[in-house]
Amino acid sequence: MTDAIRTLGFLAVRAAADLGSAAAFFADVARCMVSPPLRLRSVIDETWKLGVLSLIVICVCGLTVGMVLGLQGYNTLVRFGATESLGAVVGLSLVRELGPVLTALLATGRAGSATAAEIGSMVASEQLDGLRMMSIDPLDVVVMPKAVAMVLVMPLLSALFIACGVFGGWLVGVRLLGVDGGAYLTSLETSVDFRDDVMSSLIKAVVFGVLVGWVATYRGYTSAPNAAGVSAATTSTVVVGSVAILVFDYFITALWGVTS
Amino acid sequence: MSSHPTHIALDGVAMAFGTRPVFRHLSCRFPPGAISVILGGSGSGKSTILRMIGGLVRPQAGRILVDGDDVTRCSKRQLYDVRRRLGMLFQGGALLDSMTVFDNLAFPLRERSRLDAAAISRTVHEKLEAVGLHDVDRLLPRQLSGGMAKRVGLARALIGSPAVLLCDEPFSGLDPISSRRIEALLVRMNRTLGMTMLVVSHDVESTRRMADHVVLIEGGGAVEGPFATLRDSGTPYVRTFLSDEVDETLVDEAQQALAR
């Protein structure tokens, strides 16, 4: 019994210390973000690496999710003779939830893990220590551009995912199952509200970008300086990042509903 | 380089990694303008001494003085000021693998100095010449041999003309010719520039040739002095470590282990 309480206490203290250290890390990166030099060139390079290289994954996944939604939506709506509402079903599902959430989960797996692995291997090969010894802050030079790029890239990828999904739903619903094309687009346009749906989707994407950027860079930066450390940082980024996205998704949705 | 040689001293340093103590009460000094070689068994904490001097790790107790500045009490900003007086050659070179050799050397100058592009290019090529490298500036670190990477690392450590050069295992993993070349380079730089050098090594032969001062880590503390004095000392461990004598006890133990 005493051992169990001791273990629980140890885990609680370690979790609190880890959270505190992550918060301090976040504050340090935020300070680098607002203090000169702004390192626009590095941010653009990282945006390219994280964003452009994720395009195919996002497009393929968005398209297939939209096609599945089209198929499932049609099968349900046809029972009620309401197939003209297919555009609304596909659009609302994608804009409100699936677009930002699935994009963030995909970005965590693709770009977040790559970021953690890259920073982790820089730790293992003493590259970050090398920068420190040259009086250069690795938070400013290595971490900040990656974190900022993740925040910039997430809403763009989410928008692309939604666009591909809407197209996928149209392909299945209109071209394959014979739903009227005009009805599909009209129901989509009239049901998706800019403030309630598009803005909340955008805010979710930005918050998820901050979360994934934070978790990935923090896990890489604090990884043990060896191969096992890099592997643990990558795994932890995907697990912690994915859980954080789903938890925050609930809270943003709830808060947005209250404020609406 | 600064106008006067830099004094470095460790005073009553205690350091542990987790529950494993590395140093209990380590006190030693490194004479200004001299080559000091730090020797010791594997895992005795030789590299940790360099990392503590550079402020990359903090000891739990004691003082580390670099020209009177106690690096154990420096803030992050003060540490960066101290590090401007230090250059460090890491065991694996610690070159930034996303940059070419030229950019690796130019990067600290672009970050910390107000030199224009032409002056930076001139300085980079001077340093590469100084370590005997030509036509490598467009190569990436992964395209270099181990010896070349060490020499590029050395050129980068010298790029800011530091008063102190910290070398972590400069001869490890090199063939005898590359090893002797690096040794000759270090000695030449010390004699011509009067630079204080701290070299972590396992190699007793090169230590005998190049060291003005030897610090031998033993039992969480250190013994220090000129090579010949230590070799002729009454302490069996020190004498065995620095001489060609074979410890018969160790040979017996090895033979018994093989027989089992």
Side-chain angles (χ1 to χ4, degrees):
Chain A
M1 184 65 183
T2 320
D3 280 352
I5 294 170
R6 187 184 294 131
T7 309
L8 197 66
F10 173 75
L11 290 175
V13 169
R14 201 172 63 176
D18 198 31
L19 203 62
S21 151
F25 175 85
F26 184 86
D28 284 343
V29 175
R31 201 176 51 241
C32 293
M33 228 179 276
V34 292
S35 44
L38 293 176
R39 303 193 184 282
L40 279 178
R41 183 72 246 174
S42 302
V43 171
I44 291 168
D45 287 347
E46 293 299 333
T47 307
W48 167 268
K49 268 176 24 191
L50 299 179
V52 175
L53 301 181
S54 303
L55 280 183
I56 293 177
V57 176
I58 294 295
C59 287
V60 170
C61 293
L63 190 72
T64 48
V65 166
M67 289 165 77
V68 170
L69 277 175
L71 206 56
Q72 293 278 23
Y74 180 85
N75 287 338
T76 308
L77 292 171
V78 79
R79 289 184 217 157
F80 307 102
T83 52
E84 69 276 8
S85 300
L86 185 64
V89 170
V90 172
L92 285 175
S93 310
L94 283 167
V95 174
R96 283 187 180 176
E97 283 302 324
L98 295 177
V101 172
L102 289 184
T103 303
L105 292 175
L106 289 169
T108 306
R110 160 68 186 78
S113 59
T115 299
E118 187 180 343
I119 298 177
S121 37
M122 289 180 84
V123 171
S125 57
E126 297 184 309
Q127 291 179 51
L128 298 191
D129 282 341
L131 286 171
R132 289 188 188 100
M133 286 306 295
M134 293 186 283
S135 301
I136 297 168
D137 188 355
L139 280 180
D140 188 28
V141 174
V142 176
V143 172
M144 185 275 284
K146 291 183 192 297
V148 172
M150 193 69 85
V151 180
L152 292 178
V153 113
M154 200 66 85
L156 300 175
L157 290 178
S158 175
L160 186 69
F161 185 98
I162 292 167
C164 290
V166 167
F167 178 65
W170 178 85
L171 269 183
V172 170
V174 177
R175 305 294 294 183
L176 191 71
L177 301 170
V179 174
D180 180 67
Y184 180 87
L185 291 175
T186 308
S187 72
L188 175 72
E189 190 189 344
T190 51
S191 60
V192 177
D193 180 72
F194 181 77
R195 189 192 172 277
D196 284 348
D197 303 321
V198 178
M199 283 303 286
S200 79
S201 177
L202 189 68
I203 285 171
K204 277 183 183 178
V206 171
V207 172
F208 295 159
V210 173
L211 281 175
V212 177
W214 182 16
V215 171
T217 52
Y218 177 69
R219 290 296 173 191
Y221 194 77
T222 54
S223 64
N226 49 44
V230 178
S231 160
T234 312
T235 309
S236 158
T237 296
V238 175
V239 174
V240 176
S242 304
V243 171
I245 286 162
L246 296 174
V247 170
F248 272 74
D249 180 46
Y250 170 76
F251 284 112
I252 297 169
T253 307
L255 281 174
W256 197 262
V258 169
T259 55
S260 294
Chain B
M1 211 174 88
S2 67
S3 54
H4 65 282
T6 297
H7 297 252
I8 295 180
L10 278 68
D11 180 19
V13 168
M15 174 81 192
F17 288 118
T19 54
R20 188 177 74 88
V22 181
F23 303 119
R24 290 192 175 84
H25 188 86
L26 175 68
S27 295
C28 56
R29 60 178 197 89
F30 300 96
I35 298 180
S36 299
V37 177
I38 304 168
L39 289 172
S42 298
S44 60
K46 303 183 295 295
S47 300
T48 305
I49 292 179
L50 297 191
R51 296 173 66 79
M52 288 193 301
I53 292 169
L56 296 173
V57 288
R58 279 185 198 249
Q60 277 86 36
R63 298 188 308 156
I64 297 169
L65 301 169
V66 176
D67 257 352
D69 292 323
D70 185 356
V71 295
T72 62
R73 285 173 176 74
C74 283
S75 65
K76 192 174 172 183
R77 187 161 292 281
Q78 288 168 329
L79 260 182
Y80 282 149
D81 288 336
V82 171
R83 286 173 185 156
R84 283 172 199 269
R85 286 172 254 161
L86 310 174
M88 184 157 177
L89 168 60
F90 288 85
Q91 196 171 347
L95 300 173
L96 296 164
D97 49 19
S98 58
M99 292 184 187
T100 62
V101 166
F102 180 89
D103 286 334
N104 260 285
L105 269 71
F107 189 56
L109 295 176
R110 289 184 190 131
E111 287 288 321
R112 295 187 332 211
S113 74
R114 290 165 189 264
L115 295 177
D116 59 24
I120 288 175
S121 173
R122 200 167 46 247
T123 310
V124 167
H125 287 108
E126 274 171 18
K127 298 300 178 190
L128 286 174
E129 288 273 325
V131 298
L133 288 172
H134 313 275
D135 302 328
V136 294
D137 46 349
R138 287 184 186 175
L139 298 180
L140 288 165
R142 64 172 175 272
Q143 297 170 303
L144 302 172
S145 68
M148 286 164 89
K150 281 259 163 79
R151 282 192 280 164
V152 174
L154 181 57
R156 192 181 68 174
L158 296 170
I159 200 82
S161 304
V164 179
L165 184 64
L166 310 172
C167 300
D168 188 6
E169 305 265 12
F171 315 121
S172 70
L174 297 183
D175 62 83
I177 295 171
S178 302
S179 181
R180 288 297 287 266
R181 189 176 284 156
I182 299 261
E183 181 188 323
L185 263 172
L186 293 176
V187 172
R188 195 181 75 211
M189 278 168 193
N190 170 259
R191 305 303 181 234
T192 52
L193 302 173
M195 189 183 278
T196 304
M197 286 186 182
L198 277 63
V199 180
V200 164
S201 179
H202 274 114
D203 190 343
V204 176
E205 263 312 292
S206 68
T207 303
R208 186 182 57 74
R209 285 192 298 268
M210 71 188 290
D212 299 311
H213 184 76
V214 174
V215 174
L216 178 64
I217 309 298
E218 190 217 359
V223 286
E224 60 181 314
F227 184 88
T229 311
L230 290 185
R231 188 189 52 204
D232 301 335
S233 79
T235 315
Y237 175 79
V238 177
R239 207 175 53 239
T240 308
F241 202 102
L242 296 179
S243 69
D244 296 328
E245 289 174 22
V246 178
D247 189 332
E248 293 301 335
T249 327
L250 293 177
V251 174
D252 289 345
E253 280 175 12
Q255 281 174 342
Q256 283 165 16
L258 282 172
R260 284 197 295 272

